Amino acid sequence: MIRLRNFLSVLLIFLIQSLWVYGIPDPTIKVYRKGFEVSIPHSKITTGFNFNAKVVSKFHPFERGTFSGDIIGPDGNNHWTYKNLNAELQLGDKLYYSFTIRRNNRDFVKHDLIYEVTSYEYRIPTPTIKVHPRGFEVLIPHEEAIESFKIDANIDSEIGQFENGIYSGTIYERDDSGCWKYVNEDVELTSSNILFYRITVSKNGRIFFTNRLHYAVNNYEMISTRQSDITHNLNIKVYRKGFRVSIPYEDGIEYFRFDANLNSELKEYECGTFSGFIYTPDKNNQWIYLNLEQILKPNYTLSYRIILRKNGQLISTGIRYYTVTNHKSHSFLGTKMISRVSVYPKGFKITMKQQQDIEYLWLDASVNSELKEHECGTYSGCVNGPDENGLFTYSNLHAKLKLHNILYYRIIVRKNSQLLSTRNHYYTVKKIRANPAIYRVTIPQARIIVHPKGFRVTIPSKEGIEYIWFDANVNSELKEHECGTFSGCINRPREKGLRAYVNSDAHLSPGDILQYRIIVRTNGQLISTSVRYCTVRKSQKEFI
């Protein structure tokens, strides 16, 4: 009997391990005329990705391939990606490869894999841009089966994901030299302008996009003389969630721009996954770019560039790198942050009196377990401003706290451009109140439009709504506290009083089910829908 139990235990362990191995995702491999890339999707428990490959012959045991590398973190598109930009693989070549994924401190390996190069993935080349005294032209070389070439561009303002741009046009025929060329003969560009643009190419019935790109008209003529002035005073701080980039104010600076990629090279003309214009310095005369969402772990690398417009001239640092060593600890608030906790049958809220110069507030909380130093907690969120009563209020409508539960929480505020934190607080539930009437506010119905690549969600904006948050998964359950594969904040209404969430990467097919949730902050309170479901139908591209 004992032997039988031992045998069954060993068999169970073997089956569990087999299931783990079977669950390793298959990589996505893209081979270009020059270069290739291999990627796997990111998950919360993935902490490493190693790729090893060679061409023509199989591996010997413990052999390191011609192409190999360790990837230390996911990129801005939430994938672990190995890239080789110099390899020239020929049609018919066989790529023998293996890869390792590290999850929960365990290594899972797939080996003896083969990928045969049968075709090349098209990649839009870097265009040639020429600026004339009046007008400009954008040109790319022809490649077999290209059907059309389109450009969308703005001057000195970023191009949106589905935005046509002020200067846009679709070209269906090549010019006399056999190239695809867009020509504008009206606009007058100066040496201080930046052209922000995106290119779309139709080839063999497929649509290809570039990332958001930009072109500086003077090609940053002053880099050599002024680059050190920017980097000398540059300050980057990484927090447990988010990061901050700042430079001090100087006379003549008109704006400050930051572009960055995470764990992948920022190309010369690329806008980057994290990017933004800052047009005014803060109260302490600092130009600050701030991101509060991205989690940067030790050894993650930011590839970034800073552009200043100063006295009518563009100044750039060029591409630079910052490797995360550790997280900055927040300074502690010198004065006590007075807070009040109210618990309801479903949900709770924490209100805090407004202190002078507080710009926004972040709260982290967990139930019956103490918060660790860099832990976000089970419940967390940002409060961008006080409500009509002058209080900062964090609300949760899903948590089910019981009598004698202990709520551990910590408050982080941005005050005078500094991030300050309280020490850990705790609250023991002694009373459960009746739900206030504001919790019964209804959220408007969303309209979802599916595009060939991506989708768009629009929600009517009503009076009192401060922002809307959208979370969604495709063909998988959206759990109670999960952000979802697709998520984002909609801070202000766009055209016709609508708030829009736009995704340009998802590939939704007929029959796919989009599970989503909408959270609205209105009058200082957070209100959430339950999980809603939408099915993509073949007969229509939009549904409610």
Side-chain angles (χ1 to χ4, degrees):
M1 181 62 70
I2 294 175
R3 288 183 178 179
L4 179 60
R5 286 179 180 175
N6 290 339
F7 172 76
L8 291 174
S9 299
V10 172
L11 180 61
L12 180 61
I13 292 172
F14 174 77
L15 288 173
I16 291 173
Q17 290 178 338
S18 299
L19 287 172
W20 268 103
V21 173
Y22 182 76
I24 296 177
D26 292 324
T28 299
I29 300 178
K30 294 182 179 180
V31 178
Y32 306 101
R33 292 189 180 276
K34 186 172 184 180
F36 71 96
E37 61 182 54
V38 181
S39 64
I40 61 166
H42 175 59
S43 70
K44 292 182 179 179
I45 59 174
T46 301
T47 55
F49 173 58
N50 172 273
F51 179 77
N52 198 18
K54 64 185 299 187
V55 182
V56 180
S57 61
K58 294 183 178 180
F59 284 102
H60 297 295
F62 307 109
E63 180 184 2
R64 192 170 183 84
T66 311
F67 313 110
S68 62
D70 292 307
I71 310 303
I72 59 173
D75 57 23
N77 295 318
N78 237 16
H79 280 73
W80 297 71
T81 304
Y82 168 82
K83 292 183 180 181
N84 185 301
L85 302 179
N86 299 315
E88 296 184 6
L89 301 180
Q90 305 299 316
L91 295 178
D93 280 352
K94 290 184 178 180
L95 195 67
Y96 296 87
Y97 69 98
S98 65
F99 66 93
T100 304
I101 299 176
R102 189 165 184 79
R103 295 178 176 177
N104 284 337
N105 296 319
R106 292 184 60 193
D107 289 335
F108 299 90
V109 183
K110 275 193 173 182
H111 49 77
D112 295 333
L113 303 172
I114 303 175
Y115 178 85
E116 184 173 355
V117 182
T118 57
S119 62
Y120 293 119
E121 186 78 11
Y122 178 64
R123 179 167 52 192
I124 300 175
T126 301
T128 300
I129 299 179
K130 295 181 180 179
V131 177
H132 305 294
R134 191 176 184 89
F136 65 95
E137 60 184 57
V138 182
L139 177 147
I140 64 167
H142 175 65
E143 193 169 306
E144 186 179 355
I146 290 181
E147 298 150 0
S148 66
F149 162 71
K150 182 185 179 187
I151 182 169
D152 295 294
N154 286 337
I155 295 175
D156 292 337
S157 67
E158 289 200 53
I159 191 82
Q161 288 178 314
F162 288 113
E163 184 182 355
N164 287 331
I166 298 174
Y167 309 99
S168 65
T170 303
I171 310 301
Y172 294 98
E173 294 182 357
R174 289 176 280 163
D175 66 1
D176 295 337
S177 65
C179 295
W180 296 88
K181 182 165 67 174
Y182 167 83
V183 178
N184 179 290
E185 298 178 344
D186 300 317
V187 65
E188 294 183 12
L189 297 175
T190 67
S191 61
S192 61
N193 289 142
I194 300 179
L195 189 71
F196 290 89
Y197 66 96
R198 180 185 60 248
I199 291 175
T200 306
V201 171
S202 175
K203 185 176 187 289
N204 266 338
R206 294 177 60 193
I207 302 297
F208 298 87
F209 299 87
T210 63
N211 293 325
R212 295 172 299 128
L213 304 172
H214 77 273
Y215 174 80
V217 174
N218 74 341
N219 203 24
Y220 308 124
E221 294 172 356
M222 299 180 66
I223 287 179
S224 59
T225 58
R226 299 305 304 275
Q227 177 176 328
S228 61
D229 291 358
I230 302 176
T231 56
H232 177 70
N233 296 313
L234 178 67
N235 187 12
I236 299 178
K237 291 183 179 180
V238 176
Y239 303 103
R240 58 186 178 79
K241 192 172 185 181
F243 62 95
R244 174 181 184 265
V245 182
S246 65
I247 61 169
Y249 173 80
E250 291 182 15
D251 289 338
I253 294 180
E254 301 167 39
Y255 64 69
F256 162 73
R257 177 175 175 81
F258 178 78
D259 292 298
N261 279 345
L262 177 62
N263 296 325
S264 65
E265 183 84 13
L266 181 69
K267 298 177 183 177
E268 184 178 0
Y269 299 118
E270 187 181 1
C271 289
T273 307
F274 311 108
S275 63
F277 276 106
I278 311 299
Y279 290 101
T280 55
D282 68 359
K283 297 176 182 178
N284 294 323
N285 276 339
Q286 295 281 320
W287 296 86
I288 296 176
Y289 172 84
L290 188 66
N291 178 294
L292 289 175
E293 299 299 326
Q294 184 62 45
I295 296 176
L296 302 182
K297 297 181 180 180
N299 298 321
Y300 280 16
T301 300
L302 279 175
S303 173
Y304 71 93
R305 174 184 54 243
I306 290 174
I307 301 171
L308 298 181
R309 178 167 170 166
K310 185 174 182 180
N311 296 323
Q313 296 291 330
L314 293 177
I315 308 169
S316 170
T317 60
I319 307 299
R320 302 184 67 84
Y321 304 90
Y322 176 84
T323 301
V324 180
T325 53
N326 51 41
H327 298 124
K328 297 287 184 183
S329 297
H330 305 301
S331 301
F332 288 105
L333 281 165
T335 58
K336 186 177 180 181
M337 191 81 179
I338 300 174
S339 57
R340 179 182 177 183
V341 181
S342 300
V343 178
Y344 304 101
K346 192 172 182 182
F348 66 92
K349 72 175 181 179
I350 300 178
T351 56
M352 293 139 281
K353 288 187 177 180
Q354 181 185 9
Q355 294 184 1
Q356 190 175 2
D357 298 326
I358 287 183
E359 300 165 36
Y360 63 79
L361 173 148
W362 185 276
L363 181 130
D364 291 309
S366 63
V367 178
N368 296 331
S369 63
E370 194 162 354
L371 285 170
K372 298 177 182 178
E373 183 181 0
H374 298 300
E375 184 182 358
C376 288
T378 309
Y379 312 106
S380 64
C382 183
V383 183
N384 289 315
D387 59 19
E388 56 189 6
N389 297 317
L391 300 174
F392 282 87
T393 303
Y394 170 83
S395 298
N396 179 287
L397 305 182
H398 300 287
K400 296 180 181 179
L401 302 184
K402 299 178 181 179
L403 290 175
H404 309 301
N405 280 171
I406 300 176
L407 186 71
Y408 293 89
Y409 65 96
R410 176 176 54 239
I411 300 166
I412 299 170
V413 302
R414 178 176 163 89
K415 182 176 181 180
N416 294 325
S417 302
Q418 297 293 321
L419 288 179
L420 306 173
S421 173
T422 66
R423 300 186 186 276
N424 284 345
H425 293 282
Y426 69 92
Y427 173 82
T428 302
V429 180
K430 297 179 180 179
K431 180 180 180 180
I432 297 179
R433 302 169 181 266
N435 278 336
I438 194 165
Y439 275 41
R440 298 191 289 273
V441 175
T442 58
I443 296 177
Q445 194 76 2
R447 183 177 183 226
I448 302 177
I449 301 175
V450 178
H451 298 273
K453 188 176 182 182
F455 62 95
R456 176 187 178 97
V457 182
T458 55
I459 303 165
S461 183
K462 294 184 177 180
E463 186 177 356
I465 290 180
E466 300 166 35
Y467 65 79
I468 293 175
W469 187 274
F470 177 80
D471 291 312
N473 279 343
V474 177
N475 297 329
S476 65
E477 182 185 1
L478 184 65
K479 297 179 181 177
E480 185 175 357
H481 303 297
E482 184 183 0
C483 287
T485 308
F486 311 107
S487 66
C489 185
I490 310 164
N491 288 310
R492 58 182 183 274
R494 303 181 78 174
E495 71 280 356
K496 299 179 181 178
L498 297 174
R499 294 177 185 255
Y501 169 81
V502 180
N503 178 287
S504 59
D505 299 314
H507 294 272
L508 300 182
S509 303
D512 283 347
I513 298 176
L514 193 70
Q515 297 193 23
Y516 69 95
R517 175 177 53 242
I518 297 169
I519 301 172
V520 172
R521 179 177 166 87
T522 176
N523 297 320
Q525 301 290 331
L526 286 178
I527 305 164
S528 173
T529 66
S530 57
V531 175
R532 295 175 176 176
Y533 301 85
C534 288
T535 302
V536 180
R537 299 184 179 89
K538 187 175 182 179
S539 58
Q540 57 184 20
K541 286 190 176 181
E542 67 180 59
F543 51 89
I544 295 179

Short mmCIF file of all heavy atoms in Angstrom, two decimals, residues 178-218:
data_model
loop_
_atom_site.label_atom_id
_atom_site.label_comp_id
_atom_site.label_asym_id
_atom_site.label_seq_id
_atom_site.Cartn_x
_atom_site.Cartn_y
_atom_site.Cartn_z
N GLY A 178 9.93 55.13 -59.55
CA GLY A 178 9.48 53.82 -59.08
C GLY A 178 9.27 53.75 -57.58
O GLY A 178 9.07 52.66 -57.03
N CYS A 179 9.32 54.90 -56.89
CA CYS A 179 9.14 54.94 -55.44
C CYS A 179 7.74 55.44 -55.09
O CYS A 179 7.03 56.01 -55.92
CB CYS A 179 10.19 55.84 -54.80
SG CYS A 179 11.88 55.23 -54.99
N TRP A 180 7.37 55.24 -53.83
CA TRP A 180 6.10 55.74 -53.31
C TRP A 180 6.39 57.05 -52.60
O TRP A 180 7.16 57.09 -51.64
CB TRP A 180 5.47 54.73 -52.37
CG TRP A 180 5.11 53.44 -53.06
CD1 TRP A 180 5.91 52.37 -53.24
CD2 TRP A 180 3.86 53.14 -53.67
NE1 TRP A 180 5.24 51.38 -53.93
CE2 TRP A 180 3.97 51.83 -54.21
CE3 TRP A 180 2.65 53.82 -53.83
CZ2 TRP A 180 2.93 51.21 -54.89
CZ3 TRP A 180 1.61 53.20 -54.50
CH2 TRP A 180 1.75 51.91 -55.03
N LYS A 181 5.77 58.14 -53.08
CA LYS A 181 6.13 59.47 -52.57
C LYS A 181 4.89 60.31 -52.30
O LYS A 181 4.00 60.43 -53.14
CB LYS A 181 7.05 60.18 -53.55
CG LYS A 181 7.51 61.56 -53.07
CD LYS A 181 8.69 62.08 -53.86
CE LYS A 181 8.32 62.39 -55.29
NZ LYS A 181 9.46 63.03 -56.01
N TYR A 182 4.86 60.89 -51.08
CA TYR A 182 3.83 61.86 -50.73
C TYR A 182 4.46 63.24 -50.79
O TYR A 182 5.55 63.47 -50.26
CB TYR A 182 3.30 61.60 -49.31
CG TYR A 182 2.46 62.74 -48.76
CD1 TYR A 182 1.11 62.85 -49.08
CD2 TYR A 182 3.03 63.70 -47.93
CE1 TYR A 182 0.35 63.90 -48.59
CE2 TYR A 182 2.27 64.75 -47.43
CZ TYR A 182 0.93 64.84 -47.76
OH TYR A 182 0.18 65.89 -47.27
N VAL A 183 3.77 64.19 -51.43
CA VAL A 183 4.30 65.55 -51.59
C VAL A 183 3.29 66.56 -51.07
O VAL A 183 2.10 66.49 -51.40
CB VAL A 183 4.62 65.85 -53.08
CG1 VAL A 183 5.14 67.28 -53.23
CG2 VAL A 183 5.65 64.86 -53.62
N ASN A 184 3.76 67.49 -50.24
CA ASN A 184 2.96 68.62 -49.79
C ASN A 184 3.67 69.89 -50.26
O ASN A 184 4.87 70.07 -50.00
CB ASN A 184 2.82 68.62 -48.27
CG ASN A 184 2.01 69.81 -47.76
OD1 ASN A 184 2.47 70.94 -47.81
ND2 ASN A 184 0.81 69.54 -47.29
N GLU A 185 2.94 70.78 -50.92
CA GLU A 185 3.55 71.98 -51.49
C GLU A 185 3.05 73.26 -50.84
O GLU A 185 3.28 74.35 -51.36
CB GLU A 185 3.27 72.03 -53.00
CG GLU A 185 3.87 70.85 -53.76
CD GLU A 185 3.55 70.91 -55.24
OE1 GLU A 185 2.63 71.67 -55.61
OE2 GLU A 185 4.22 70.20 -56.02
N ASP A 186 2.39 73.14 -49.68
CA ASP A 186 1.78 74.32 -49.07
C ASP A 186 2.42 74.74 -47.75
O ASP A 186 2.62 75.93 -47.50
CB ASP A 186 0.28 74.06 -48.83
CG ASP A 186 -0.45 73.77 -50.14
OD1 ASP A 186 -0.18 74.48 -51.12
OD2 ASP A 186 -1.27 72.84 -50.15
N VAL A 187 2.72 73.78 -46.89
CA VAL A 187 3.16 74.12 -45.54
C VAL A 187 4.58 74.68 -45.56
O VAL A 187 5.42 74.27 -46.37
CB VAL A 187 3.09 72.88 -44.62
CG1 VAL A 187 4.06 71.80 -45.07
CG2 VAL A 187 3.38 73.27 -43.17
N GLU A 188 4.85 75.64 -44.68
CA GLU A 188 6.19 76.22 -44.55
C GLU A 188 6.77 75.78 -43.20
O GLU A 188 6.32 76.22 -42.15
CB GLU A 188 6.12 77.75 -44.64
CG GLU A 188 5.67 78.26 -46.00
CD GLU A 188 5.68 79.77 -46.08
OE1 GLU A 188 6.25 80.41 -45.16
OE2 GLU A 188 5.13 80.33 -47.04
N LEU A 189 7.75 74.90 -43.25
CA LEU A 189 8.39 74.40 -42.04
C LEU A 189 9.63 75.22 -41.72
O LEU A 189 10.39 75.60 -42.62
CB LEU A 189 8.78 72.93 -42.22
CG LEU A 189 7.62 71.95 -42.45
CD1 LEU A 189 8.16 70.56 -42.75
CD2 LEU A 189 6.72 71.91 -41.24
N THR A 190 9.83 75.48 -40.43
CA THR A 190 11.02 76.21 -39.99
C THR A 190 11.97 75.26 -39.29
O THR A 190 11.63 74.10 -39.00
CB THR A 190 10.64 77.35 -39.03
OG1 THR A 190 10.14 76.78 -37.80
CG2 THR A 190 9.56 78.24 -39.64
N SER A 191 13.15 75.75 -38.96
CA SER A 191 14.17 74.89 -38.35
C SER A 191 13.81 74.44 -36.95
O SER A 191 14.43 73.54 -36.41
CB SER A 191 15.51 75.64 -38.30
OG SER A 191 15.40 76.80 -37.51
N SER A 192 12.78 75.04 -36.34
CA SER A 192 12.40 74.66 -34.98
C SER A 192 11.18 73.73 -34.95
O SER A 192 10.69 73.39 -33.88
CB SER A 192 12.09 75.91 -34.15
OG SER A 192 11.01 76.62 -34.71
N ASN A 193 10.69 73.31 -36.12
CA ASN A 193 9.51 72.44 -36.17
C ASN A 193 9.90 70.97 -36.09
O ASN A 193 11.00 70.57 -36.48
CB ASN A 193 8.73 72.66 -37.47
CG ASN A 193 8.01 73.99 -37.52
OD1 ASN A 193 7.93 74.63 -38.55
ND2 ASN A 193 7.46 74.42 -36.40
N ILE A 194 8.95 70.16 -35.56
CA ILE A 194 9.07 68.70 -35.57
C ILE A 194 7.85 68.14 -36.29
O ILE A 194 6.71 68.51 -35.99
CB ILE A 194 9.14 68.11 -34.15
CG1 ILE A 194 10.35 68.65 -33.39
CG2 ILE A 194 9.23 66.59 -34.20
CD1 ILE A 194 10.46 68.14 -31.97
N LEU A 195 8.09 67.26 -37.24
CA LEU A 195 7.03 66.60 -37.98
C LEU A 195 6.75 65.25 -37.33
O LEU A 195 7.62 64.37 -37.30
CB LEU A 195 7.45 66.41 -39.44
CG LEU A 195 6.38 65.91 -40.43
CD1 LEU A 195 5.37 67.01 -40.70
CD2 LEU A 195 7.03 65.46 -41.73
N PHE A 196 5.55 65.07 -36.77
CA PHE A 196 5.14 63.79 -36.18
C PHE A 196 4.28 63.06 -37.20
O PHE A 196 3.32 63.64 -37.73
CB PHE A 196 4.35 64.01 -34.89
CG PHE A 196 5.20 64.53 -33.76
CD1 PHE A 196 5.38 65.89 -33.59
CD2 PHE A 196 5.82 63.65 -32.89
CE1 PHE A 196 6.17 66.37 -32.55
CE2 PHE A 196 6.60 64.13 -31.85
CZ PHE A 196 6.78 65.49 -31.68
N TYR A 197 4.59 61.79 -37.46
CA TYR A 197 3.89 61.12 -38.55
C TYR A 197 3.80 59.61 -38.31
O TYR A 197 4.48 59.04 -37.46
CB TYR A 197 4.58 61.40 -39.89
CG TYR A 197 5.96 60.80 -40.02
CD1 TYR A 197 6.16 59.58 -40.65
CD2 TYR A 197 7.08 61.46 -39.50
CE1 TYR A 197 7.42 59.03 -40.78
CE2 TYR A 197 8.35 60.92 -39.63
CZ TYR A 197 8.51 59.71 -40.26
OH TYR A 197 9.76 59.16 -40.37
N ARG A 198 2.94 58.99 -39.11
CA ARG A 198 2.78 57.54 -39.12
C ARG A 198 2.54 57.13 -40.56
O ARG A 198 1.85 57.82 -41.31
CB ARG A 198 1.59 57.12 -38.26
CG ARG A 198 1.33 55.61 -38.21
CD ARG A 198 0.07 55.26 -37.44
NE ARG A 198 -1.10 55.87 -38.03
CZ ARG A 198 -1.80 56.84 -37.45
NH1 ARG A 198 -1.44 57.29 -36.26
NH2 ARG A 198 -2.85 57.37 -38.05
N ILE A 199 3.12 56.00 -40.97
CA ILE A 199 2.99 55.51 -42.35
C ILE A 199 2.20 54.21 -42.35
O ILE A 199 2.40 53.35 -41.49
CB ILE A 199 4.37 55.31 -42.99
CG1 ILE A 199 5.04 56.67 -43.22
CG2 ILE A 199 4.27 54.55 -44.30
CD1 ILE A 199 6.45 56.58 -43.73
N THR A 200 1.30 54.08 -43.32
CA THR A 200 0.51 52.86 -43.50
C THR A 200 0.73 52.36 -44.93
O THR A 200 0.65 53.14 -45.88
CB THR A 200 -0.99 53.14 -43.29
OG1 THR A 200 -1.18 53.75 -42.01
CG2 THR A 200 -1.79 51.86 -43.37
N VAL A 201 1.02 51.08 -45.06
CA VAL A 201 1.26 50.48 -46.38
C VAL A 201 0.32 49.28 -46.55
O VAL A 201 0.19 48.45 -45.64
CB VAL A 201 2.73 50.02 -46.54
CG1 VAL A 201 2.91 49.19 -47.80
CG2 VAL A 201 3.65 51.23 -46.56
N SER A 202 -0.33 49.21 -47.71
CA SER A 202 -1.15 48.05 -48.06
C SER A 202 -0.34 47.17 -49.00
O SER A 202 0.12 47.63 -50.05
CB SER A 202 -2.45 48.50 -48.73
OG SER A 202 -3.19 47.38 -49.18
N LYS A 203 -0.16 45.90 -48.61
CA LYS A 203 0.68 44.99 -49.39
C LYS A 203 0.05 43.60 -49.36
O LYS A 203 -0.18 43.04 -48.29
CB LYS A 203 2.09 44.94 -48.79
CG LYS A 203 3.11 44.12 -49.57
CD LYS A 203 4.49 44.26 -48.90
CE LYS A 203 5.58 43.60 -49.71
NZ LYS A 203 5.50 42.13 -49.69
N ASN A 204 -0.24 43.07 -50.54
CA ASN A 204 -0.85 41.74 -50.64
C ASN A 204 -2.14 41.63 -49.83
O ASN A 204 -2.41 40.60 -49.21
CB ASN A 204 0.14 40.66 -50.17
CG ASN A 204 0.92 40.07 -51.33
OD1 ASN A 204 0.49 40.13 -52.47
ND2 ASN A 204 2.08 39.51 -51.02
N GLY A 205 -2.90 42.72 -49.78
CA GLY A 205 -4.15 42.70 -49.05
C GLY A 205 -4.01 42.84 -47.55
O GLY A 205 -5.00 42.82 -46.82
N ARG A 206 -2.78 43.00 -47.05
CA ARG A 206 -2.54 43.19 -45.62
C ARG A 206 -2.15 44.64 -45.35
O ARG A 206 -1.57 45.30 -46.21
CB ARG A 206 -1.43 42.25 -45.12
CG ARG A 206 -1.79 40.77 -45.17
CD ARG A 206 -0.60 39.93 -44.72
NE ARG A 206 -0.20 40.25 -43.36
CZ ARG A 206 0.95 39.85 -42.81
NH1 ARG A 206 1.81 39.14 -43.51
NH2 ARG A 206 1.24 40.17 -41.56
N ILE A 207 -2.47 45.10 -44.14
CA ILE A 207 -2.16 46.47 -43.75
C ILE A 207 -0.98 46.45 -42.78
O ILE A 207 -0.98 45.71 -41.80
CB ILE A 207 -3.37 47.15 -43.09
CG1 ILE A 207 -4.57 47.13 -44.04
CG2 ILE A 207 -3.04 48.58 -42.70
CD1 ILE A 207 -4.36 47.90 -45.33
N PHE A 208 0.03 47.29 -43.05
CA PHE A 208 1.20 47.41 -42.19
C PHE A 208 1.30 48.85 -41.70
O PHE A 208 1.08 49.79 -42.47
CB PHE A 208 2.48 47.03 -42.94
CG PHE A 208 2.51 45.60 -43.41
CD1 PHE A 208 1.95 45.23 -44.63
CD2 PHE A 208 3.09 44.62 -42.63
CE1 PHE A 208 1.97 43.92 -45.06
CE2 PHE A 208 3.11 43.29 -43.04
CZ PHE A 208 2.55 42.95 -44.26
N PHE A 209 1.63 49.01 -40.40
CA PHE A 209 1.77 50.33 -39.81
C PHE A 209 3.19 50.50 -39.28
O PHE A 209 3.83 49.54 -38.84
CB PHE A 209 0.82 50.51 -38.61
CG PHE A 209 -0.64 50.38 -38.93
CD1 PHE A 209 -1.27 49.14 -38.91
CD2 PHE A 209 -1.39 51.50 -39.23
CE1 PHE A 209 -2.61 49.01 -39.19
CE2 PHE A 209 -2.74 51.38 -39.51
CZ PHE A 209 -3.35 50.15 -39.49
N THR A 210 3.66 51.73 -39.27
CA THR A 210 4.84 52.05 -38.47
C THR A 210 4.38 52.45 -37.08
O THR A 210 3.19 52.70 -36.85
CB THR A 210 5.62 53.23 -39.06
OG1 THR A 210 4.79 54.41 -39.03
CG2 THR A 210 6.06 52.96 -40.49
N ASN A 211 5.31 52.51 -36.13
CA ASN A 211 5.02 53.16 -34.87
C ASN A 211 4.90 54.66 -35.12
O ASN A 211 5.11 55.14 -36.23
CB ASN A 211 6.15 52.89 -33.86
CG ASN A 211 6.22 51.43 -33.47
OD1 ASN A 211 5.20 50.77 -33.37
ND2 ASN A 211 7.42 50.93 -33.24
N ARG A 212 4.56 55.41 -34.08
CA ARG A 212 4.57 56.86 -34.21
C ARG A 212 6.02 57.33 -34.36
O ARG A 212 6.87 56.97 -33.56
CB ARG A 212 3.92 57.51 -32.98
CG ARG A 212 2.44 57.18 -32.84
CD ARG A 212 1.89 57.67 -31.52
NE ARG A 212 2.57 57.04 -30.40
CZ ARG A 212 3.11 57.70 -29.39
NH1 ARG A 212 3.06 59.01 -29.35
NH2 ARG A 212 3.71 57.06 -28.41
N LEU A 213 6.28 58.12 -35.40
CA LEU A 213 7.63 58.57 -35.70
C LEU A 213 7.68 60.09 -35.70
O LEU A 213 6.64 60.76 -35.71
CB LEU A 213 8.07 58.04 -37.07
CG LEU A 213 8.00 56.51 -37.26
CD1 LEU A 213 8.27 56.14 -38.71
CD2 LEU A 213 8.99 55.81 -36.34
N HIS A 214 8.89 60.63 -35.67
CA HIS A 214 9.02 62.08 -35.78
C HIS A 214 10.29 62.44 -36.55
O HIS A 214 11.23 61.65 -36.64
CB HIS A 214 9.04 62.74 -34.39
CG HIS A 214 10.33 62.61 -33.67
ND1 HIS A 214 10.65 61.53 -32.88
CD2 HIS A 214 11.41 63.44 -33.62
CE1 HIS A 214 11.86 61.69 -32.38
NE2 HIS A 214 12.34 62.84 -32.81
N TYR A 215 10.27 63.63 -37.12
CA TYR A 215 11.42 64.12 -37.89
C TYR A 215 11.65 65.58 -37.52
O TYR A 215 10.75 66.42 -37.64
CB TYR A 215 11.12 64.00 -39.39
CG TYR A 215 12.19 64.60 -40.28
CD1 TYR A 215 13.36 63.91 -40.55
CD2 TYR A 215 12.03 65.88 -40.82
CE1 TYR A 215 14.34 64.46 -41.36
CE2 TYR A 215 13.00 66.43 -41.63
CZ TYR A 215 14.16 65.72 -41.89
OH TYR A 215 15.13 66.28 -42.69
N ALA A 216 12.85 65.88 -37.03
CA ALA A 216 13.21 67.25 -36.68
C ALA A 216 13.76 67.95 -37.92
O ALA A 216 14.69 67.45 -38.56
CB ALA A 216 14.25 67.27 -35.56
N VAL A 217 13.18 69.08 -38.25
CA VAL A 217 13.53 69.76 -39.50
C VAL A 217 15.00 70.13 -39.55
O VAL A 217 15.67 69.97 -40.57
CB VAL A 217 12.64 71.01 -39.70
CG1 VAL A 217 13.09 71.79 -40.92
CG2 VAL A 217 11.19 70.59 -39.84
N ASN A 218 15.56 70.60 -38.42
CA ASN A 218 16.97 70.99 -38.44
C ASN A 218 17.90 69.84 -38.07
O ASN A 218 19.11 70.02 -37.94
CB ASN A 218 17.22 72.17 -37.50
CG ASN A 218 17.19 71.76 -36.03
OD1 ASN A 218 16.67 70.70 -35.68
ND2 ASN A 218 17.76 72.58 -35.17
#
